[in-house]
Structure formats: C-alpha cells, structure tokens
Amino acid sequence: MNLRALGYFVALTERGSFSAAADACDVSQSTVSTQLKKLEDELGVELIDRSQREVKLTRAGEQVLVHAKEIG
C-alpha cells in the first residue's frame, strides 16, 4: 500500500473534489484519480461512490479513512 495514495485519499475526503485534492497535493487530478483507483484495487473495495456528483465515501471508505488519518 502506498502512503502517498492514502494521503491523496485523505485530501480528497477533506476537500470534497478531485481537483481540490490535486491542488492541495500539488499533483494533477488524473494522478489523484489513478492513485485512488490503484488503492481501491489493492484493497479490493470501492472507497468512493462514483455514482454521485459529490465525493461520497462508501462504508469501506469510511473505515479506511479512519486508519489513513491515524497513519498520516
């Protein structure tokens, strides 16, 4: 698991958008999106409900967020 990807995930949840998370992390929006997808693939769960326009965490995403904040 990549700690940088966890940081992008936390930034995304705190800022509510991929573009704002990318700006905060000084990377491109596609980097945040790609790293989040890789993190989800590694964990075998979806962390973000992509059917919504807003950033909405899945139940698994909520659990991962708690641990990601403890690590970060």
Side-chain angles (χ1 to χ4, degrees), residues 23-67:
D23 288 344
C25 296
D26 199 30
V27 297
S28 69
Q29 184 175 341
S30 65
T31 297
V32 173
S33 182
T34 299
Q35 289 299 312
L36 181 62
K37 183 64 177 146
K38 285 182 181 180
L39 181 60
E40 289 176 322
D41 290 346
E42 284 180 37
L43 296 173
V45 295
E46 287 188 356
L47 302 175
I48 303 292
D49 179 359
R50 288 176 176 79
S51 67
Q52 305 291 319
R53 239 178 124 60
E54 63 190 65
V55 172
K56 183 168 169 85
L57 294 174
T58 62
R59 180 169 284 163
E62 292 172 358
Q63 294 173 348
V64 170
L65 181 60
V66 169
H67 296 293

